[in-house]
Amino acid sequence: MKILITGALGQIGSELSLALKQIYGQNNVINSDLALPQQVASEYFPYCQLDVTNKQQLIDVITQNKIEVIYHLAAVLSASGEKNPQLCFDVNILGLYYVLEASRQNAIKQIICPSSIAVFGPETPKQNTPQETIILPKTMYGLSKASGELLCDYYVKKYNLDIRGLRYPGLISYKTLPTGGTTDYAVEIFYDAIKKGSYQCFLQENTILPMMYMPDAIRGTIELSCANFKQLNNHSNFNFAGVSFSCGEIALEIKKHLPHFTISYQPDFRQQIADSWPQSIDDSKAKQQWGWQCEYDLPKMTTDMLHHLNIKLNKHEQH
Ligand SMILES: NC(=O)c1ccc[n+]([C@@H]2O[C@H](COP(=O)([O-])OP(=O)(O)OC[C@H]3O[C@@H](n4cnc5c(N)ncnc54)[C@H](O)[C@@H]3O)[C@@H](O)[C@H]2O)c1
């Protein structure tokens, strides 16, 4: 099975591509992103440059590589999207439309297309946010994801395409630093705790957001892709929950390992985005329809993050 990943150099793609290569074979997973091949580390090969807003380039990559499955991860995230809404619209809405059209025309067997908790807005119930609820996002990113879910469902019903997607919460990982998201603080805090012993957080201490550790997110994504399509009543919009905590709570958890760690709070424009999102997510549909179960709670994730990041940063210093 030949798989194409768009946006493969990002926070999720950089880990998902390794996991998919282990399952489907090194040469069957084609990574793509905006960077030129000569700028890309060898672990990402086979690799090709692909801008998803270029429909012809997308079709060429699909046909030349005989692609059968697409993980469409290319996107502009929430904070970057508020800085450049036009780019966010182009990449997230037009780019997705081109991927769906190219998939329809080339009989792609499966498309995985992530959504986000950013589809929810201030009118949505904040606690245990239901699967079906008020979807009135206030950011360009959120509305691009909400319309993306609807577009995907349209292609499922109209053209019988197999499309699946999760509303990812904020993802925490140590391989690739996230950029341009509102939940980035929950990764930066670990880097600064190890490197500087202190962190200035761009959200308030009591801001609670739904989060997930990357190993859970990768496993869940692959499990959803392997589920029996006939058993799925939802398609591109599964609520997907890991662990919810406030900025203060993660700081306290880090302090258990690094007692001298200190945190200060200097909220910026991202506070307003965070305040419009839920605090916890009801993912019972994912549990019922394809058996989702999260493994990492806050203490287990913190221990694992610090362990791996210490190794990574020490290695980096030695070079
Ligand atoms: N990371 C999270 O916390 C999170 C949370 C919710 C949803 N998501 C969703 O998951 C998907 C992947 O997110 P991520 O965290 O890996 O994002 P990321 O920003 O780390 O990576 C996105 C990648 O897309 C690439 N890209 C941007 N414009 C492009 C274009 N025109 N053509 C091709 N590539 C382009 C970027 O270069 C980048 O490598 C996105 O759909 C995102 O909305 C992520």
Side-chain angles (χ1 to χ4, degrees), residues 96-205:
L96 171 63
Y97 174 64
Y98 292 154
V99 167
L100 295 176
E101 269 300 283
S103 299
R104 178 180 72 78
Q105 289 162 9
N106 291 280
I108 295 295
K109 289 185 183 144
Q110 187 182 73
I111 306 124
I112 303 291
C113 183
S115 187
S116 163
I117 56 156
V119 297
F120 303 121
E123 294 87 353
T124 309
K126 275 198 180 302
Q127 307 298 338
N128 218 17
T129 302
Q131 176 72 45
E132 313 297 343
T133 186
I134 302 164
I135 305 270
L136 289 171
K138 299 293 181 272
T139 59
M140 178 57 90
Y141 176 68
L143 78 85
S144 75
K145 288 292 170 185
S147 59
E149 288 182 357
L150 293 172
L151 200 57
C152 286
D153 280 352
Y154 181 84
Y155 273 73
V156 172
K157 291 200 178 71
K158 179 99 177 165
Y159 301 114
N160 289 320
L161 284 185
D162 175 344
I163 309 176
R164 305 164 188 217
L166 297 156
R167 288 172 177 157
Y168 289 122
L171 298 180
I172 297 169
S173 65
Y174 53 85
K175 185 167 163 52
T176 303
L177 256 176
T179 48
T182 301
T183 52
D184 293 0
Y185 94 84
V187 179
E188 290 171 6
I189 192 171
F190 284 99
Y191 278 80
D192 280 10
I194 293 173
K195 288 204 279 196
K196 303 185 201 161
S198 65
Y199 178 63
Q200 190 182 82
C201 185
F202 58 75
L203 299 179
Q204 283 162 359
E205 181 173 5

Side-chain angles (χ1 to χ4, degrees), residues 18 30 43 69 73 94 105 118 133 153 164 168 196 206 216 236 240 246 310 314:
L18 295 178
I30 318 290
E43 63 172 328
V69 170
L73 306 183
L94 272 186
Q105 289 162 9
T133 186
D153 280 352
R164 305 164 188 217
Y168 289 122
K196 303 185 201 161
N206 59 359
D216 271 338
S236 56
F240 191 45
S246 69
N310 263 314
N314 278 336

